[in-house]
Amino acid sequence: MKFSKLAQYYEKLEATSGRLELVDILSKLFTESDSAEIGKICYLIQGRVAPFFEPVEIGMAEMTIAQAVGRAFNKDKDSVIKLYRQKGNFGLAAAQLAQQAKSNKQKEKLSVSEVFEEILKIAKFSGEGTVEKKVSNLADLLKKLDPTSVKHVVNIPLGTLRLGIGDPTVLDALSMAKCGDKSLRPVLENAYNKTSDLGYVAEAFFKHGGKGIKEIKLVMGKPVRPALAERLPNADEAVKRLGSEFAAEPKFDGFRVAVHKNGDKVELFSRNLEDTTHAFPDIVNGVLSEVKAKSAIIEGEAIAYNPATQEFLPFQETTKRRRKYKIEEMAQKLPLIMFAFDLLYLNGKDITERPYKERRKLLESIIKKDNKVVKLAEERVLHTANEIKKFFDEAVSAGLEGLMLKKLDSPYVAGGRGFHWIKFKRSQAGELTDTVDCVLLGVYSGRGKRTEFGVGGLLVGVYDKLRDEFVTISRIGTGLTDEEFREVNKIAQHLKLSRKPARVNSKIGPSFWVEPKVVLEVYADEITKSPIHTAGEKDGIGYALRFPRLVKFREADRRPEDATTVSEVEKMYKQQYRKK
Ligand code: AMP
């Protein structure tokens, strides 16, 4: 496919206001693509040249882009910036300059693959003279493109290509393209949950069809979308669900780590699948010296621990390790222990289909009792509600968060929340059993004192997984300190959109919309019904949060699709009245 054709699709996608339309346009685009380029197209429509977990960032600031655009179309940097200020978007400014630049060359020739490779090359430049190399290569590329292609290519390195296409939307469209309906979405989703790589899944699907994709296995270096736990109101309900024999483990309050060990190479991924290898050299070394396996994918929870007092440190301490600077110094000061709780892959084999109890046995065979860094999470096989309560009290008095209960015969369900894992947390004050992770959808401009911050209130939503949409659940005006108001404003300005994104479903309009990207942890007194909000809406009535307060930003470890879902809200709504 010619890149100019893809650029036409970008135009259509950009003008779309609803999710169904997005799926429709995308599926047409995919129908016109072949297996050699479908993977690249999947990355490009999300403004990337690699899967999101690979730290390949093209990363060019506005000034360097202005330089490249100027060089491509014989303008000085300042006049490019001036035009950008007028237009409000770099892509639009660059497209206008491309239009004006008279040239005899035929400009619609480059293929999607050629443009992709060129952008990838630009992303990979490093070392001395990087900026100059990036500028000159981008300028050369822009010269060869038609104005519409220029518009969109310029937005890629800036990170401002905002088509709002979520991964589930791409999966729907892939199924539509090949079989005219969404029937293959579950199979595709399963493959995606195992590899987190849309391009890889799309290419395999185009090459081997639905049958081939069913067989997809875990791949070393591609993060697995984590299995998640369900909530239940009490131990008796848990026993009903789990049967007469089940496993219980302490729930550690740190952060999730997935270890991919392949010989001497170790990679770590966070809960939201970011590569965090460089942040935790102590865990990497621990894995290399202590884990007795050639290759393995292990999941665990990392938590700061004081070996002198044998105390687990609170989350606020552990989270200090999630930083980008002074890494070695912090590793000395606040060493981490990883409590391994699952094994998904061992010595070349994907073992996610095997029952939990077998995986646990294998995990025990590669992690020794006297390990210092990578330790086994304690596990007890229990039978009754009383045993659960006893272990729960023990765990809490040891400074832990609560318990995880696990079905003994369950496979590892990548990317799914299900009753194979049930969590019991120390109960929080108030009625709700848990906080709600909301996605920032819009901002209300400030009045009075808040004019200074630019933000008077926030419109937040949750994720409707079935429809792959963000639906509103609350407006938040309190709980933010002045400092937080300023911070929200900074973030919101960066994500500001001129109109409602296609995947947002709302009955109310904020002062301005933002790209759904930032996850906020929100505490509320209660979940109520409301005609204003679209979360779980039936007959015009949805769910809302009563007296919502912002607890903290969660952008570091949650993607918007990892926010609380409508079905979880529904369950929380029902459970709040069943608590004694
Ligand atoms: P939550 O984030 O509240 O839904 O709880 C699930 C999280 O608990 C997982 O993502 C893990 O990071 C963490 N966790 C702590 N201990 C365990 C354990 N023993 N088994 C599984 N997950 C655990």
Side-chain angles (χ1 to χ4, degrees):
M1 184 186 290
K2 297 272 178 276
F3 191 86
S4 55
K5 179 149 213 174
L6 179 61
Q8 293 304 326
Y9 274 103
Y10 276 117
E11 290 285 288
K12 285 189 203 159
L13 291 164
E14 198 177 56
T16 302
S17 62
R19 185 174 105 93
L20 290 180
E21 242 180 291
L22 275 185
V23 174
D24 192 46
I25 299 168
L26 272 182
S27 73
K28 288 196 180 105
L29 163 63
F30 293 162
T31 313
E32 290 195 56
S33 320
D34 64 32
S35 63
E37 60 195 10
I38 185 70
K40 294 174 186 137
I41 290 176
C42 285
Y43 301 135
L44 283 170
I45 53 171
Q46 295 189 324
R48 296 194 51 90
V49 280
F52 67 86
F53 56 82
E54 276 182 26
V56 177
E57 301 293 345
I58 307 142
M60 289 173 76
E62 287 181 351
M63 287 301 155
T64 28
I65 295 284
Q67 234 176 316
V69 171
R71 208 178 287 179
F73 307 119
N74 295 322
K75 293 276 174 216
D76 59 78
K77 196 169 87 184
D78 292 341
S79 56
V80 177
I81 296 274
K82 204 167 141 209
L83 188 61
Y84 155 58
R85 300 248 151 87
Q86 267 171 27
K87 296 264 172 196
N89 175 289
F90 243 108
L92 288 175
Q96 179 169 329
L97 294 174
Q99 193 80 49
Q100 289 163 357
K102 299 252 179 317
S103 153
N104 307 324
K105 271 190 233 142
Q106 269 237 309
K107 291 197 165 185
E108 293 176 6
K109 285 260 170 84
L110 288 190
S111 68
V112 166
S113 296
E114 284 166 320
V115 174
F116 181 93
E117 295 305 335
E118 203 48 47
I119 302 177
L120 187 60
K121 197 164 107 193
I122 295 171
K124 288 193 168 161
F125 282 132
S126 66
E128 221 173 289
T130 300
V131 175
E132 171 51 30
K133 281 188 222 155
K134 288 191 178 200
V135 167
S136 77
N137 277 261
L138 183 61
D140 285 346
L141 174 62
L142 294 178
K143 272 192 239 171
K144 295 182 202 150
L145 298 173
D146 62 290
T148 311
S149 299
V150 165
K151 171 179 161 189
H152 298 289
V153 165
V154 161
N155 277 320
I156 293 176
L158 278 172
T160 47
L161 185 99
R162 301 229 169 101
L163 302 177
I165 301 170
D167 299 346
T169 300
V170 175
L171 298 175
D172 272 352
L174 284 169
S175 175
M176 292 288 279
K178 281 288 170 203
C179 53
D181 57 32
K182 293 183 191 167
S183 55
L184 285 179
R185 157 85 188 265
V187 184
L188 285 160
E189 190 161 335
N190 179 45
Y192 177 62
N193 285 338
K194 288 185 167 173
T195 59
S196 308
D197 187 339
L198 272 184
Y200 176 81
V201 170
E203 193 177 323
F205 181 48
F206 270 44
K207 280 193 180 141
H208 311 296
K211 228 178 172 178
I213 201 120
K214 254 192 193 146
E215 316 277 288
I216 270 195
K217 299 279 179 227
L218 303 195
V219 182
M220 197 52 78
K222 293 192 190 295
V224 182
R225 290 173 61 80
L228 300 170
E230 276 287 354
R231 308 175 174 85
L232 281 176
N234 55 50
D236 293 312
E237 301 255 351
V239 174
K240 267 190 225 155
R241 288 270 180 180
L242 294 164
S244 58
E245 194 167 66
F246 48 87
E249 295 165 7
K251 185 172 192 305
F252 304 94
D253 194 9
F255 47 84
R256 192 164 182 157
V257 181
V259 173
H260 289 225
K261 176 185 189 296
N262 195 2
D264 291 341
K265 187 173 176 200
V266 173
E267 281 171 291
L268 308 179
F269 294 98
S270 65
R271 182 191 187 283
N272 70 348
L273 314 175
E274 255 171 50
D275 188 327
T276 48
T277 313
H278 296 292
F280 309 117
D282 41 346
I283 298 187
V284 171
N285 288 333
V287 170
L288 283 173
S289 60
E290 296 178 348
V291 173
K292 304 289 171 235
K294 266 207 200 92
S295 65
I297 299 179
I298 306 168
E299 277 202 350
E301 187 87 353
I303 182 167
Y305 183 75
N306 182 344
T309 59
Q310 301 198 339
E311 268 176 340
F312 296 107
L313 299 181
F315 182 73
Q316 289 74 356
E317 288 297 306
T318 302
T319 202
K320 287 187 188 152
R321 286 294 310 273
R322 270 204 285 221
R323 46 158 70 199
K324 295 201 168 98
Y325 51 94
K326 290 195 182 160
I327 284 174
E328 288 291 346
E329 192 184 314
M330 282 309 279
Q332 295 287 333
K333 239 192 197 159
L334 270 181
L336 293 172
I337 288 189
M338 177 177 138
F339 287 95
F341 55 71
D342 216 323
L343 181 65
L344 317 189
Y345 184 99
L346 181 62
N347 297 334
K349 282 208 183 79
D350 177 343
I351 57 166
T352 47
E353 299 295 327
R354 303 233 202 136
Y356 165 78
K357 58 175 181 253
E358 277 182 32
R359 300 200 309 278
R360 171 80 197 192
K361 280 253 141 42
L362 292 169
L363 183 67
E364 285 168 10
S365 75
I366 63 167
I367 294 182
K368 298 294 164 215
K369 285 240 156 46
D370 52 358
N371 281 4
K372 300 265 176 319
V373 178
V374 186
K375 289 176 170 292
L376 269 177
E378 183 190 352
E379 186 217 35
R380 296 186 195 172
V381 174
L382 306 182
H383 305 86
T384 65
N386 264 345
E387 286 174 341
I388 296 179
K389 285 177 206 150
K390 208 171 136 254
F391 192 13
F392 181 86
D393 290 342
E394 257 181 64
V396 170
S397 58
L400 297 164
E401 203 184 13
L403 288 188
M404 290 293 263
L405 305 180
K406 299 183 177 178
K407 253 195 183 140
L408 288 170
D409 57 1
S410 156
Y412 184 91
V413 186
R417 209 176 271 284
F419 285 98
H420 47 276
W421 283 11
I422 295 168
K423 62 177 170 186
F424 276 110
K425 287 207 225 180
R426 257 189 325 246
S427 78
Q428 286 141 356
E431 287 297 316
L432 276 179
T433 46
D434 206 346
T435 50
V436 182
D437 287 337
C438 294
V439 183
L440 179 64
L441 300 178
V443 167
Y444 294 93
S445 304
R447 285 203 207 116
K449 179 174 171 235
R450 292 184 187 171
T451 322
E452 187 202 328
F453 312 130
V455 170
L458 313 174
L459 177 63
V460 301
V462 290
Y463 181 53
D464 188 327
K465 198 170 177 196
L466 290 177
R467 298 197 209 150
D468 184 27
E469 274 178 354
F470 297 99
V471 283
T472 71
I473 194 161
S474 191
R475 283 183 283 208
I476 305 178
T478 50
L480 279 80
T481 60
D482 291 359
E483 195 41 51
E484 281 171 332
F485 267 119
R486 275 195 200 97
E487 191 171 343
V488 170
N489 190 36
K490 227 168 54 201
I491 294 171
Q493 288 303 329
H494 186 65
L495 299 173
K496 193 169 179 174
L497 297 172
S498 56
R499 59 199 189 95
K500 185 179 78 61
R503 283 196 305 149
V504 172
N505 174 2
S506 174
K507 291 197 263 192
I508 45 181
S511 309
F512 64 86
W513 295 99
V514 298
E515 188 186 354
K517 205 161 185 181
V518 178
V519 179
L520 310 166
E521 188 175 349
V522 177
Y523 179 74
D525 279 4
E526 204 185 342
I527 296 174
T528 54
K529 296 264 187 171
S530 151
I532 301 172
H533 292 291
T534 48
E537 187 181 359
K538 276 187 201 101
D539 301 326
I541 307 284
Y543 292 105
L545 302 180
R546 184 159 167 261
F547 298 136
R549 273 99 66 198
L550 182 75
V551 182
K552 61 177 183 272
F553 292 98
R554 300 212 60 150
E555 52 180 340
D557 68 346
R558 307 261 152 139
R559 300 204 301 149
E561 289 84 2
D562 295 331
T564 302
T565 60
V566 166
S567 64
E568 288 176 79
V569 169
E570 221 150 54
K571 275 188 208 132
M572 289 163 93
Y573 175 78
K574 288 182 188 144
Q575 279 180 16
Q576 61 191 353
Y577 300 113
R578 278 163 52 190
K579 279 188 71 185
K580 282 157 250 148

